[in-house]
Amino acid sequence: MDSDMQVSEPSAKYMVKAEEYQQPEAGIIPHEWTVKRLGEIVTFQRGFDLPHRNRKSGDYPIVTSSGFEEFHNEYRAKAPGVVTGRYGTIGQVFLVATDYWPLNTTLYVRDFHGNDPNFISHLLRTVDFHSHSGKSGVPGVNRNDLHEIKTAYPADIAEQQAIATALSDTDALIDALEQLLAKKRQVKQGAMRELLTGEKRLAGFHGEWAIKILGDCLSNPPEYGINAPAVDFSDQLPTYIRITDITDDGEFRPNPKVSVKTHNLEQYTLKQGDILFTRTGASVGKSYLYTKKDGPLIFAGFLIRVRAKQEELLPEFLFALTKTENYWKWVTVMSMRSGQPGINGNEYKQLPIPVPSIEEQAAIAAILSDMDTDITELETRLGKVRQVKQGMMRELLTGRTRLA
């Protein structure tokens, strides 16, 4: 992990006092907690209009229903503040640490009635705003409707602050991991830009790169997948990979996983080193490098498979090239034709690719693969911490788990 951004896991300790619970209409809560209307806990106020022509650069953030937009030289609400969307983007809650201008698309907390603002910001994240939004047109919420929502909460300010601190510490960890992930992705993009163009050479490698077309580097012509409908997933049938199962980053992420009925297993089964290209629609140009960890896969008809001559072009190197700016510029130009955007197999064969020696390809691919591994591990860790945060909110903001 980068030494300039150390992050640690949540360390809050909990204890449960199971014998001290009551069961009012809002559900089982601790005896020290109470159930009140939201309007008795806080008072919402509609934000203020501020046309763009009247905005002047300053130090006070303008808070919209989507978050922080820009800065103004005046404020209308004192810090700390809690803001949520009034219409349009609803359901998000923002804690504001400085004096600010809440825009008229928002509701802000005008009065906390002695409650901890940080705790309130977390409590409001448990409110289902969409169930109180308008039935037609642009989604919106009315402050009077929100004021009538009943919720359980601890009146003890010390417990509110303890809960808020535990959740905020986890938010800080999530924010640190997100920043570190963004940094690693930027570093990888920079490495790809330099290494995959020959702008920067690895130690020990010299000589000019050749510019070839993809078709000259393939062991056989591009192949189209099977035209068959997907069926519900079954362990007794092959797993299907379609355009929608491939992420923009080239990962196999089906939601849900599906199968396909076919007698042509050998013809359409992916093998190590196979690369798929999407050939039509808005996602044209996406690519996927098959890996055995994804299990046996049959590829669908709107995908094109290519197999490189691995003595000339490594699949890992080719796959990396499909993530570069130059590749996507080529996709944009090639897919510009009447009707549905698309690139067919013969057109993919015309893709120009810079080709260094096979040894340099392997070295570059290894570096980028290591970066991918770091990014994947960090994404996994971030996902787990987000799950921890959801669990903490579910436990701490209902009183089912009490802080020690």
Side-chain angles (χ1 to χ4, degrees), residues 120-141:
I120 293 300
S121 73
H122 291 291
L123 182 67
L124 290 178
R125 292 186 177 100
T126 67
V127 174
D128 183 5
F129 288 88
H130 292 277
S131 67
H132 301 277
S133 64
K135 302 300 181 183
S136 61
V138 179
V141 291

Side-chain angles (χ1 to χ4, degrees), residues 57-302:
S57 179
D59 298 324
Y60 304 107
I62 300 170
V63 186
T64 74
S65 60
S66 300
F68 300 89
E69 187 174 272
E70 52 189 24
F71 291 85
H72 189 49
N73 67 338
E74 297 180 43
Y75 67 88
R76 295 300 299 268
K78 297 286 291 181
V82 174
V83 182
T84 188
R86 183 171 67 87
Y87 67 84
T89 303
I90 63 173
Q92 297 188 58
V93 178
F94 308 99
L95 179 66
V96 190
T98 64
D99 297 343
Y100 63 103
W101 188 295
L103 212 59
N104 62 336
T105 58
T106 69
L107 294 172
Y108 74 98
V109 177
R110 187 187 67 201
D111 190 345
F112 290 95
H113 301 307
N115 294 298
D116 180 69
N118 195 356
F119 171 80
I120 293 300
S121 73
H122 291 291
L123 182 67
L124 290 178
R125 292 186 177 100
T126 67
V127 174
D128 183 5
F129 288 88
H130 292 277
S131 67
H132 301 277
S133 64
K135 302 300 181 183
S136 61
V138 179
V141 291
N142 183 288
R143 73 185 185 111
N144 293 326
D145 291 337
L146 293 183
H147 283 162
E148 295 303 314
I149 298 173
K150 289 186 176 181
T151 187
Y153 83 113
D156 180 10
I157 192 70
E159 184 168 5
Q160 290 184 18
Q161 291 172 342
I163 292 172
T165 297
L167 295 175
S168 294
D169 286 347
T170 310
D171 281 337
L173 173 59
I174 291 172
D175 184 62
L177 289 173
E178 288 175 339
Q179 290 183 43
L180 183 56
L181 184 58
K183 180 178 179 180
K184 285 184 177 291
R185 285 171 173 161
Q186 289 176 349
V187 169
K188 186 196 171 187
Q189 286 299 315
M192 291 175 64
R193 185 169 53 252
E194 293 178 336
L195 296 177
L196 293 172
T197 60
E199 177 183 332
K200 180 178 180 180
R201 305 295 293 275
L202 296 176
F205 293 103
H206 309 283
E208 296 294 323
W209 288 21
I211 302 296
K212 300 183 179 181
I213 61 171
L214 179 59
D216 291 340
C217 301
L218 300 181
S219 60
N220 50 274
E223 301 170 286
Y224 293 86
I226 187 172
N227 289 311
V231 298
D232 291 340
F233 178 74
S234 170
D235 292 333
Q236 308 302 313
L237 294 171
T239 301
Y240 213 14
I241 179 170
R242 306 157 299 170
I243 288 179
T244 54
D245 299 322
I246 300 173
T247 69
D248 291 340
D249 293 329
E251 297 288 332
F252 177 55
R253 292 288 183 271
N255 185 26
K257 183 182 287 189
V258 295
S259 294
V260 61
K261 292 181 179 179
T262 177
H263 299 293
N264 302 312
L265 288 178
E266 181 62 28
Q267 181 180 353
Y268 298 108
T269 298
L270 297 180
K271 296 181 179 180
Q272 192 74 22
D274 284 356
I275 291 180
L276 298 179
F277 290 99
T278 59
R279 66 182 179 91
T280 188
S283 61
V284 63
K286 284 200 303 185
S287 60
Y288 164 75
L289 173 63
Y290 176 69
T291 174
K292 289 183 178 179
K293 71 178 177 61
D294 290 335
L297 296 178
I298 299 290
F299 70 107
F302 288 111

